[in-house]
Amino acid sequence: MRPARAVSAAALAGFLALTTLVGATAAHAATVNYVALGDSYSSGVGAGSYTSESGSCKRSTNAYPYLWKNAHSTSSFTFAACSGARTGDVLNSQLSGLNSATTLVSITIGGNDAGFSSTMQTCVLSSDSDCLDAVATAKSYATDTLPGLLDQVYSTIHGKAPNAHVVVLGYPHLYKISGNCIFGIGDTKRAAINSAADVLDDVIAKRAANAGFTYEDVRGLFTGHEICASGTVWLNSTTLPIDESYHPKAAGQAGGYLPAFSAGV
């Protein structure tokens, strides 16, 4: 009988160890402290339903961070993303929610540093040559100056939240080339603007990888839903309020950014 008792004791010990492991894993999975950082593409400008406390930051309940939070059991959620934010704004005013207990971070940043708003204004209001010049300037900034700024942001995030999984998201193409738009800018400008997004996304992807973060490309998800596409358009063209122009609608946040972020998590 002694061997039988020994086996039973070993089995019981193994069962207890497994139970403890499962319990610890479940407890860890339930602890999600999520901080959403970044610019207007993360705050949800263009998607409507802005929270009253967010003011000019225009944080939307239709934005992908809010949608993800609602679909998961987060222990805490800090929505710090803000319209118009540049890398310096993230460093100076968005990182107070990060700490060693933070487990998840999302961010879109870099478009405003590279002059997204002014480039779009030039392309919409000026000639093809002016647009191409503005896009070339934005590309040069993205390749020459932005990498160092992103490195600073990413390293600071890691330093403040060393245990967090960080998901960096890119920017979509705004236009369907040879699409259905009768009015607005022509394909020369549309192609140039899309090419700027490509350069920007390539830079962001490389710097995110260098930081050990997860990068998610949204361009494929937005394909067929760009401005001038024949299907459901997920992006605002020129609209009012003007700051919501060229930003994802609620459908773009739910159909494009949310799946991309979820895949990265």
Side-chain angles (χ1 to χ4, degrees):
M1 298 296 291
R2 287 181 181 176
R5 286 197 296 271
V7 171
S8 298
L12 178 60
F15 174 77
L16 290 175
L18 179 61
T19 301
T20 301
L21 178 61
V22 170
T25 301
H28 177 72
T31 304
V32 179
N33 298 313
Y34 173 29
V35 179
L37 308 172
D39 56 24
S40 52
Y41 274 63
S42 286
S43 72
V45 171
S49 188
Y50 305 114
T51 62
S52 59
E53 51 75 31
S54 65
S56 61
C57 284
K58 301 186 87 166
R59 300 184 185 106
S60 170
T61 59
N62 293 320
Y64 76 86
Y66 213 98
L67 296 176
W68 194 92
K69 182 268 297 186
N70 286 344
H72 296 79
S73 298
T74 57
S75 300
S76 66
F77 174 61
T78 302
F79 198 1
C82 186
S83 174
R86 301 186 180 194
T87 51
D89 297 309
V90 172
L91 292 171
N92 294 329
S93 60
Q94 293 190 18
L95 303 184
S96 61
L98 297 178
N99 54 56
S100 60
T102 303
T103 61
L104 181 63
V105 175
S106 65
I107 185 169
T108 57
I109 201 67
N112 291 318
D113 292 81
F116 171 77
S117 179
S118 61
T119 299
M120 289 304 304
Q121 182 175 349
T122 298
C123 287
V124 170
L125 300 178
S126 301
S127 66
D128 283 2
S129 61
D130 287 343
C131 175
L132 295 178
D133 287 344
V135 167
T137 299
K139 287 180 177 179
S140 294
Y141 188 95
T143 55
D144 298 339
T145 304
L146 186 60
L149 299 175
L150 293 175
D151 287 348
Q152 185 178 7
V153 170
Y154 296 160
S155 64
T156 304
I157 290 172
H158 178 69
K160 290 182 175 292
N163 301 311
H165 176 63
V166 181
V167 181
V168 179
L169 298 104
Y171 299 94
H173 285 160
L174 292 182
Y175 290 99
K176 175 69 174 178
I177 307 303
S178 300
N180 293 331
C181 291
I182 299 174
F183 302 104
I185 65 177
D187 278 349
T188 297
K189 292 180 177 179
R190 293 170 188 166
I193 291 167
N194 284 355
S195 72
D198 290 334
V199 171
L200 183 60
D201 284 340
D202 286 347
V203 169
I204 293 171
K206 289 175 183 176
R207 302 328 300 164
N210 187 68
F213 295 166
T214 297
Y215 174 78
E216 291 296 332
D217 193 333
V218 301
R219 285 172 291 184
L221 289 165
F222 273 84
T223 298
H225 302 285
E226 309 97 326
I227 299 168
C228 301
S230 57
T232 303
V233 175
W234 287 354
L235 292 149
N236 291 307
S237 185
T238 305
T239 189
L240 294 175
I242 196 66
D243 66 319
E244 298 190 3
S245 302
Y246 315 112
H247 285 81
K249 302 177 182 180
Q253 290 286 341
Y257 273 94
L258 178 60
F261 176 57
S262 298
V265 174

